[in-house]
Amino acid sequence: MKDREKLIRYFEASGNGEQARRMLDLAEQVVAGKPYRVTEFMSPAGLVIADAIKANLPQLRVASEGGYEGAERLRVAFIERNFQGTVDFGVQALKISWDPRFRLLTHRDVLGSLMGLGIEREHFGDIIMQNGGAQLIVDATMADYVKQNFTKIAMVSVSVEDLPLSEILPKEEKIKEIRTTVASLRLDAVASSGFSLSRTKLVSSINAGLVQVNWQEAKGPAQEVKEGDIISLRGRGRMKIEAITGTSRKGRIGVYLKRFM
């Protein structure tokens, strides 16, 4: 692929250069004769990279799978354009159960305990929290290891069993609707309103690499955002710019935000 290094340099600017390199390696294996190749689990930023690769390698198709409709973390497949077989994404679901009377466990508790087993983050997808349990999307090759070794979360005993993908319950997210006005569509202006943070603190978070726009690290406080963009702040969740609602007589811009709690 003649533009390989150019494409990698482009994504290096947003902190995704190594991911782009790995994905290009898989895509080039398909060009060389493999019917398809599948990535590890990744954030939706992976779809942006996949689309850029596909634009340079039109002999490929791209598909994705996260275990259920609306999944955030996905596995992406590069597929030879004329391949008519079934793509095995290697995705499996597990049900994790515990007694909720002992302690209110959080997503962070589950994630931390899984990684404490030595499992890399790219080997599992979404963690869907429920009352007294969670549903976990995992690389099928890791499922048995998780079932055998994942026995406690923060000193609370847990049990793990297989769960058919058809029985996954989509995660329930609390949504806070925010209608406000901003002086401009700069990232720091919009995000500080959406996350209820001072602009100074928001700028510090951006400079520390804690803010992403469409799952890619923010370029800076002055980055322009637009309708449909997803802004996430580590530790505070994410929000979507649902609509730009117009400009007031004083020149302020109306925005309608949805913050996912």
Side-chain angles (χ1 to χ4, degrees):
M1 179 176 169
K2 63 179 181 179
D3 292 328
R4 175 187 173 93
E5 292 306 317
K6 180 179 179 182
L7 197 63
I8 291 172
R9 286 196 301 271
Y10 174 79
F11 284 106
E12 279 178 342
S14 59
N16 293 312
E18 185 56 37
Q19 186 176 65
R21 193 182 303 276
R22 294 197 302 270
M23 293 176 73
L24 277 163
D25 288 343
L26 294 176
E28 289 173 344
Q29 289 176 32
V30 178
V31 172
K34 300 294 183 182
Y36 66 86
R37 280 292 182 263
V38 180
T39 70
E40 68 274 10
F41 284 101
M42 57 184 63
S43 76
L47 290 177
V48 177
I49 299 172
D51 285 342
I53 293 173
K54 178 185 173 184
N56 285 273
L57 297 173
Q59 63 268 53
L60 302 182
R61 291 184 287 124
V62 171
S64 62
E65 177 61 67
Y68 67 102
E69 186 174 355
E72 183 170 306
R73 291 183 60 79
L74 305 165
R75 300 188 83 171
V76 176
F78 295 103
I79 311 164
E80 198 279 322
R81 184 172 54 194
N82 298 316
F83 177 67
Q84 298 299 315
T86 300
V87 175
D88 180 9
F89 283 92
V91 173
Q92 187 168 332
L94 299 174
K95 180 180 179 181
I96 307 169
S97 304
W98 60 79
D99 189 334
R101 293 176 301 174
F102 293 123
R103 179 175 173 179
L104 180 62
L105 297 178
T106 66
H107 183 282
R108 183 175 295 182
D109 292 324
V110 178
L111 175 60
S113 295
L114 281 167
M115 297 187 73
L117 294 176
I119 305 174
E120 299 291 339
R121 186 64 179 97
E122 58 263 26
H123 289 311
F124 50 95
D126 285 0
I127 300 170
I128 306 169
M129 300 301 296
Q130 298 174 316
N131 182 35
Q135 296 176 329
L136 171 67
I137 316 300
V138 66
D139 183 328
T141 63
M142 299 296 298
D144 285 342
Y145 179 81
V146 174
K147 286 188 289 184
Q148 293 168 12
N149 295 279
F150 196 39
T151 58
K152 287 185 180 295
I153 302 175
M155 302 306 294
V156 175
S157 295
V158 302
S159 61
V160 184
E161 58 186 307
D162 290 328
L163 177 72
L165 293 177
S166 60
E167 294 183 15
I168 296 174
L169 298 175
K171 53 188 173 184
E172 297 180 4
E173 293 185 297
K174 296 180 181 179
I175 298 176
K176 180 180 180 180
E177 297 185 345
I178 302 167
R179 296 180 184 273
T180 187
T181 62
V182 291
S184 73
L185 291 177
R186 284 172 51 119
L187 173 60
D188 55 354
V190 175
S192 62
S193 293
F195 291 117
S196 300
L197 286 175
S198 71
R199 201 151 172 175
T200 300
K201 288 184 178 179
L202 204 287
V203 169
S204 295
S205 296
I206 294 172
N207 292 336
L210 303 180
V211 178
Q212 293 185 328
V213 178
N214 298 327
W215 295 279
Q216 298 191 65
E217 187 174 323
K219 298 174 183 176
Q223 179 177 345
E224 289 285 317
V225 293
K226 62 186 184 304
E227 189 170 288
D229 281 351
I230 304 292
I231 303 171
S232 56
L233 171 59
R234 193 178 305 169
R236 309 262 312 190
R238 70 187 190 281
M239 67 178 181
K240 179 180 180 182
I241 304 177
E242 192 70 23
I244 308 298
T245 58
T247 305
S248 71
R249 283 181 292 182
K250 294 184 177 181
R252 292 184 64 82
I253 302 169
V255 290
Y256 169 37
L257 309 172
K258 282 188 176 179
R259 181 176 170 189
F260 302 89
M261 312 293 284

